[in-house]
């Protein structure tokens, strides 16, 4: 199942501390992923019982609720990230988990580091050099990481649903790198639109922002962008006054379908007043470099709509790593791993594997009850897993532990102009079943997410940046 490991791989593993557990007398806990599940588990795992190693291509955790704010300068990018190496007593390897050997209890890892070029002729083809020579000088080779307990938390990737052109031309919003790319494109379009040689048609295209997906991510991005445009862009670029357009598309009749109907109606009225156009019952059939093709009724040709910036937030799909894992029980719809009530991964016969777990978007209960792919679910699974592993490390039997049970705490979403919505009408915890909208809900939204910021650095920085944006406006420096 595994590719042959080069001779120097064991040395690399020892240098990174991956094999230190045998010396420390602890079990080796390997966590794949640094998202909501993996990062939280790495923080909460008992380091006195486990030698913890995190394997992830990202050396940071992205605080997704704040990504939309970073796109427009309400917050700095560092406010939406936490370093994995900032977790005490945790080893870290920046790499992709390629496969798992269940018999040898090892994870096969491919480094996810920038290429090291030794001479100019070794630069890859896209920069005018030789890709073969470039590959020969890659930093490090694949290596194995042994484990006693393995937790799969690699998450999902943004879904394009096979729509042609999405991967090539659209921007996703699931990671801080993607948020930075959106910000760069947005500010670049504003500057190009001010050039004297730009035609009115080209200016209109550059200033047209299309957001596909009416869920919380798409709505919050549209709301942040609308505030940025009305409060800062028109002040800094007065010659562009009332020329920026924001359109939100969704296959559903409207936006925020998981929220209460009254709250959905409130959000759509708010967007209409703010100038954000909501187009429900709309299917995107293709994406070009600077246009969308919308399906037309009656067999007519697709409607072509130009754009300057396209942000795509239509949902999630299985991670390629999960899809490639053989011999495991997977949910036919989400393609995630089926887990027993204690989050142990099940084999093809439905039997739980010893010492292999899955949390977050990678886990679907084998009782057939699918959980939403949200940060709330992943965080609760991480907390449960930390307690379960602590008990197991002390010799308690996993089968005798209480099973995982998700508690729905409700949903929140920012809709712009110091307004938000809180929906706890379907909550299953001990709090009130309430719905809230407006300024008070916005205060709750900001307060809650500020307290969720993992480290003290961000707990201090976030209100500072909010204050700076309020008193001095958002930063429009592009670099």
């Amino acid at each position: 199942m595994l590719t042959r490991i080069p001779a120097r791989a064991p040395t690399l593993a020892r240098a990174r501390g991956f094999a230190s557990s045998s010396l420390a007398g602890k079990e080796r806990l390997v966590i794949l992923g640094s998202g909501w599940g993996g990062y939280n588990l790495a923080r909460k795992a008992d380091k006195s019982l486990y030698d913890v190693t995190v394997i992830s291509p990202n050396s940071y955790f992205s605080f997704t609720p704040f990504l939309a704010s970073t796109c427009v300068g309400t917050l700095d990018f560092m406010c939406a990230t936490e370093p994995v190496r900032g977790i005490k007593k945790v080893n870290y390897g920046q790499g992709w988990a390629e496969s798992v050997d269940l018999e040898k209890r090892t994870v096969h890892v491919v480094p996810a580091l920038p290429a090291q070029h030794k001479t100019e002729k070794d630069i890859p083809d896209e920069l005018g050099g030789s890709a073969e020579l470039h590959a020969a000088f890659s930093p490090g080779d694949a290596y194995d990481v042994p484990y006693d307990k393995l937790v799969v938390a690699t998450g999902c990737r943004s879904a394009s649903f096979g729509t042609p052109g999405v991967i090539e031309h659209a921007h996703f919003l699931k990671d801080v790198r993607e948020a930075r790319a959106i910000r760069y494109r947005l500010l670049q379009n504003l500057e190009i639109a001010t050039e004297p040689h730009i035609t009115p048609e080209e200016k209109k295209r550059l200033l047209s922002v299309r957001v596909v997906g009416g869920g919380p991510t798409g709505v919050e991005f549209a709301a942040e962008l609308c505030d940025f445009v009305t409060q800062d862009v028109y002040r800094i670029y007065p010659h562009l006054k009332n020329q920026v357009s924001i359109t939100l598309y969704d296959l559903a009749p409207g936006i925020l379908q998981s929220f209460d109907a009254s709250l959905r109606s409130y959000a759509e009225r708010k967007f209409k007043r703010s100038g954000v156009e909501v187009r429900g019952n709309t299917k995107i059939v293709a994406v070009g470099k600077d246009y969308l093709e919308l399906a037309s009724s009656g067999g007519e040709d697709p409607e072509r709509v130009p754009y300057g910036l396209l942000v795509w937030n239509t949902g999630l799909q299985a991670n390629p790593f999960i899809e490639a894992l053989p011999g495991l029980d997977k949910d036919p719809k989400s393609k995630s791993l089926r887990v027993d009530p204690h989050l142990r991964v099940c084999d093809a016969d439905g039997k739980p594997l010893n010492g292999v777990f899955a949390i977050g978007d990678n886990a679907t209960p084998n009782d057939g009850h699918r959980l939403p792919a949200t940060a709330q679910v992943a965080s609760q699974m991480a907390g449960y897993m930390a307690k379960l592993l602590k008990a197991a490390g002390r010799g308690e039997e996993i089968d005798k532990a209480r099973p995982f049970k998700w508690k729905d705490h409700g949903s929140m979403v920012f809709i712009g102009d110091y307004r938000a919505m809180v929906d706890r009408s379907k909550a299953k915890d001990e709090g009130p079943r309430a719905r809230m909208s407006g300024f008070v809900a916005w205060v709750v939204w900001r307060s809650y997410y500020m307290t969720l910021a993992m480290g003290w650095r961000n707990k201090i920085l976030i209100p500072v940046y909010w204050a700076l944006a309020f008193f001095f406006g958002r930063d429009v420096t592009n670099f």
Side-chain angles (χ1 to χ4, degrees):
M1 176 179 179
L2 297 179
T3 305
R4 184 179 64 85
I5 308 301
R8 62 172 171 166
T11 301
L12 179 61
R14 286 196 297 272
R16 293 181 176 176
F18 294 154
S20 61
S21 58
S22 59
L23 300 177
K26 304 175 185 177
E27 283 196 289
R28 297 163 297 191
L29 170 61
V30 175
I31 303 169
L32 305 183
S34 59
W36 281 95
Y39 182 82
N40 275 287
L41 176 57
R43 290 176 64 243
K44 296 177 180 179
D46 192 329
K47 312 306 188 298
S48 67
L49 297 173
Y50 293 97
D51 182 28
V52 182
T53 297
V54 175
I55 301 296
S56 174
N58 297 325
S59 62
Y60 56 85
F61 159 70
S62 284
F63 192 79
T64 49
F66 287 160
L67 291 182
S69 296
T70 65
C71 291
V72 299
T74 307
L75 291 174
D76 186 82
F77 294 112
M78 72 173 68
C79 296
T81 61
E82 291 285 350
V84 175
R85 288 196 180 275
I87 309 174
K88 294 182 179 180
K89 299 181 180 180
V90 169
N91 305 309
Y92 170 67
Q94 188 165 354
W96 301 90
E98 186 178 64
S99 59
V100 177
D101 190 321
L102 297 175
E103 293 183 0
K104 296 181 179 179
R105 301 180 78 82
T106 57
V107 180
H108 191 56
V109 179
V110 177
L113 295 165
Q116 304 295 308
H117 306 305
K118 292 192 175 182
T119 66
E120 290 184 2
K121 68 178 181 179
D122 299 328
I123 298 175
D125 289 335
E126 61 268 24
L127 300 179
S130 168
E132 292 183 1
L133 288 174
H134 160 69
F137 293 118
S138 298
D141 294 308
Y143 54 92
D144 279 348
V145 178
Y147 69 84
D148 297 300
K149 298 286 193 303
L150 175 67
V151 180
V152 180
T154 56
C156 290
R157 58 179 177 174
S158 299
S160 65
F161 295 102
T163 306
V166 172
I167 301 297
E168 295 83 0
H169 305 298
H171 289 270
F172 299 108
L173 186 53
K174 197 174 184 294
D175 182 81
V176 69
R177 290 194 183 109
E178 296 167 340
R180 187 170 61 179
I182 290 172
R183 175 177 170 81
Y184 182 86
R185 178 69 175 271
L186 174 63
L187 296 178
Q188 186 182 57
N189 285 353
L190 291 173
E191 293 298 337
I192 296 174
T194 64
E195 292 294 308
H197 67 278
I198 297 297
T199 64
E201 293 76 15
E202 180 66 2
K203 179 183 291 187
K204 182 178 180 181
R205 181 192 69 80
L206 288 167
L207 300 179
S208 298
V209 181
R210 315 293 181 183
V211 184
V212 180
T217 302
V219 167
E220 289 190 344
F221 173 75
E224 287 280 3
L225 179 60
C226 183
D227 283 357
F228 174 53
V229 169
T230 57
Q231 297 171 12
D232 297 281
V233 171
Y234 291 157
R235 171 177 56 84
I236 300 172
Y237 303 85
H239 48 291
L240 300 180
K241 184 78 171 180
N242 299 325
Q243 295 186 51
V244 178
S245 64
I246 306 170
T247 309
L248 187 59
Y249 299 93
D250 201 282
L251 268 173
I255 58 176
L256 300 172
Q257 293 299 302
S258 62
F259 280 70
D260 180 81
S262 62
L263 293 177
R264 294 200 304 268
S265 177
Y266 173 82
E268 291 179 4
R269 293 196 306 270
K270 170 66 178 61
F271 271 4
K272 186 175 182 179
R273 291 194 301 269
S274 301
V276 178
E277 182 183 3
V278 176
R279 293 189 59 174
N281 296 315
T282 302
K283 182 180 180 181
I284 313 295
V285 295
V287 174
K289 183 178 180 180
D290 53 11
Y291 64 88
L292 294 175
E293 287 190 356
L294 312 181
S296 301
S297 58
E300 301 175 0
D301 292 335
E303 175 188 358
R304 182 168 289 193
V305 180
Y307 70 81
L309 172 63
L310 173 62
V311 179
W312 191 278
N313 296 290
T314 57
L316 303 173
Q317 66 185 46
N319 190 299
F321 167 70
I322 301 298
E323 293 179 333
L325 289 176
L328 301 178
D329 191 13
K330 299 176 185 178
D331 182 76
K333 182 177 180 180
S334 66
K335 307 301 181 183
S336 57
L337 301 173
R338 287 189 183 273
V339 295
D340 76 347
H342 301 103
L343 304 183
R344 290 177 295 191
V345 174
C346 298
D347 62 17
D349 297 324
K351 298 179 180 179
L353 298 174
N354 181 34
V356 182
F357 306 84
I359 60 176
D361 300 343
N362 299 139
T364 296
N366 59 3
D367 60 4
H369 178 64
R370 295 188 181 97
L371 300 178
T374 62
Q376 186 181 143
V377 173
S379 296
Q380 290 185 31
M381 284 184 169
Y384 171 85
M385 182 58 55
K387 294 178 181 178
L388 184 74
L389 291 175
K390 184 175 183 178
R394 292 179 173 176
E396 299 180 22
E397 293 184 22
I398 290 180
D399 288 320
K400 294 183 179 179
R402 64 176 180 83
F404 171 75
K405 185 177 181 180
W406 173 55
K407 294 182 179 180
D408 187 353
H409 297 316
S411 304
M412 295 190 295
V413 64
F414 172 65
I415 57 174
D417 193 25
Y418 310 107
R419 301 290 185 271
M421 304 189 310
V422 178
D423 186 5
R424 287 183 47 82
S425 59
K426 301 176 184 177
K428 296 181 180 180
D429 57 14
E430 298 177 356
R433 310 293 188 270
R435 296 181 295 273
M436 186 186 306
S437 61
F439 178 77
V440 175
W442 173 79
V443 173
V444 172
W445 180 85
R446 276 204 165 180
S447 301
Y448 177 73
Y449 282 129
M450 187 179 69
T451 58
L452 267 188
M454 300 298 178
W456 278 106
R457 180 199 67 176
N458 279 346
K459 290 181 187 294
I460 296 171
L461 281 179
I462 289 167
V464 169
Y465 274 98
W466 278 338
L468 289 173
F470 179 80
F471 288 107
F472 303 106
R474 298 167 179 84
D475 180 30
V476 293
T477 306
N478 200 19
F479 53 87

